[in-house]
Amino acid sequence: MNIVLNGIRFGDTELCSNQSETLRALVHEQFDPASLLVNPLNTLFFTRDPAVVVGDGIILNHMYWPERDREVALYRQIFTHHKIMGETPVCDLNRSSYHIEGGDILVISAKTILVGISDRTEPAAVESLAKELLTSNKFQTTELIAIRVPSDGLRIHLDTFISRIDHDAFLIDREICNAVDAYSIQLKRSGKGLTITPIDRTIPEILSAACCEPIKVIDCGGGNQTAYERERRNNATSILALSPGKLCVYEENVWTNEALEKAGMELFPLSIDELTKGYGGTNCLCLPLWREDL
């Protein structure tokens, strides 16, 4: 496992042995023992991207960067051979022609999933996912809601714009509310093919309908424009709900955290530097395997 994580260097193989007797040596192009033959899995801590749990099953994704598909291969081995998880239903999109990443897949309820159309997730991949989930009796999903994710160069997935934090509450980045481009995807009544319908609603209205109740919205930055610009860069909107109303947050996002506390949330803060130097919010770095019914 150490080799898988740290990569393989030329010096770890036989390629560097007896180089003095090779054509490489004669033309002065010997292998450098310190150079990497196989790169390390240095993005493995973004656990939600390669795989996402939906209902009682797992979705294996097709990563945007080809090297990250090796992470998906590790998940496939776990959910194929693990003595506890080996019987898990699998929706395998990894061999699809289209890219999709777990940061763009948000489980809102047992029946409804939000999927971001982003720089990392293509519309065709969302359709492929919908066909797999809606036509399978192994998943409970009855509707996918596709939402266009703003591209601002800082955040690339839907989960950096929307986080469910309680039964009836969401933390939302106002940027995604300002340009709503959303679609409902359901199975046709005949059971063959998909019905895709534009949704003429705001993000809070979409979420309220998905939750079957009115929701409360907490704004990134707590309504402070200066704090918003700073804290959105600190992934203030991508937080991990340990349970409803109990949230793991970054302590540096002071204004957002204050707004959450005023809304009655219990916070478990930690420093950005303590968690990761690879960027991303607390939600980006955790893969929930099992959820209680809300």
Side-chain angles (χ1 to χ4, degrees):
M1 190 63 180
N2 186 53
I3 293 176
V4 172
L5 295 177
N6 293 328
I8 301 173
R9 299 183 183 276
F10 282 103
D12 299 329
T13 71
E14 295 181 357
L15 295 173
C16 284
S17 61
N18 300 320
Q19 289 201 88
S20 59
E21 303 174 7
T22 64
L23 179 61
R24 298 191 300 274
L26 294 175
V27 297
H28 306 291
E29 293 185 10
Q30 300 99 316
F31 291 123
D32 179 358
S35 295
L36 284 164
L37 178 62
V38 177
N39 288 331
L41 294 179
N42 55 5
T43 53
L44 190 61
F45 49 80
F46 291 119
T47 55
R48 292 191 74 250
D49 289 338
V52 176
V53 171
V54 174
D56 295 327
I58 187 87
I59 301 170
L60 298 179
N61 300 310
H62 183 194
M63 307 300 289
Y64 181 82
W65 296 110
E67 284 199 345
R68 292 203 67 190
D69 278 329
R70 290 186 292 147
E71 299 170 33
V72 183
L74 292 178
Y75 282 98
R76 182 181 290 106
Q77 293 302 310
I78 293 170
F79 287 98
T80 300
H81 301 292
H82 194 281
K83 63 180 181 181
I84 296 176
M85 295 177 282
E87 300 298 322
T88 303
V90 174
C91 172
D92 195 342
L93 301 178
N94 183 246
R95 297 179 176 88
S96 166
S97 300
Y98 312 108
H99 299 106
I100 185 168
E101 296 191 350
D104 282 317
I105 302 174
L106 304 185
V107 178
I108 299 302
S109 68
K111 296 183 178 181
T112 305
I113 297 173
L114 263 60
V115 186
I117 302 171
S118 72
D119 293 341
R120 300 294 178 86
T121 296
E122 300 169 87
V126 178
E127 288 190 61
S128 297
L129 174 63
K131 290 175 183 177
E132 290 284 342
L133 296 185
L134 298 177
T135 60
S136 172
N137 57 10
K138 298 177 181 178
F139 299 88
Q140 304 174 49
T141 309
T142 58
E143 181 183 24
L144 277 76
I145 299 175
I147 297 175
R148 177 75 65 178
V149 177
S151 179
D152 64 3
L154 293 170
R155 297 159 298 167
I156 56 177
H157 292 134
L158 182 61
D159 69 355
T160 59
F161 290 86
I162 300 173
S163 289
R164 190 171 191 178
I165 56 178
D166 206 341
H167 298 276
D168 61 348
F170 287 80
L171 177 62
I172 301 178
D173 186 322
R174 71 185 72 156
E175 185 177 352
I176 201 169
C177 292
N178 292 338
V180 178
D181 187 7
Y183 304 86
S184 170
I185 306 175
Q186 300 182 36
L187 197 63
K188 289 183 176 179
R189 291 184 179 181
S190 64
K192 297 180 181 179
L194 302 174
T195 297
I196 303 175
T197 309
I199 303 176
D200 187 18
R201 293 178 177 176
T202 66
I203 292 293
E205 289 171 342
I206 291 171
L207 295 172
S208 290
C211 296
C212 301
E213 63 178 323
I215 65 164
K216 295 178 290 188
V217 173
I218 290 90
D219 187 21
C220 174
N224 182 303
Q225 183 61 34
T226 303
Y228 165 74
E229 293 297 335
R230 180 178 63 253
E231 295 188 0
R232 73 186 182 95
R233 289 177 171 82
N234 286 344
N235 278 294
T237 317
S238 178
I239 58 178
L240 177 66
L242 303 173
S243 63
K246 299 188 178 197
L247 314 175
C248 181
V249 300
Y250 286 149
E251 63 185 23
E252 287 83 355
N253 296 321
V254 177
W255 286 85
T256 302
N257 294 343
E258 182 178 327
L260 291 169
E261 288 182 325
K262 287 181 178 178
M265 306 297 155
E266 183 180 358
L267 305 188
F268 298 86
L270 69 164
S271 172
I272 291 174
D273 290 333
E274 287 181 6
L275 192 58
T276 174
K277 295 183 182 298
Y279 206 61
T282 53
N283 185 61
C284 304
L285 305 168
C286 293
L287 173 60
L289 294 178
W290 180 77
R291 295 179 178 89
E292 293 180 347
D293 291 333
L294 287 177

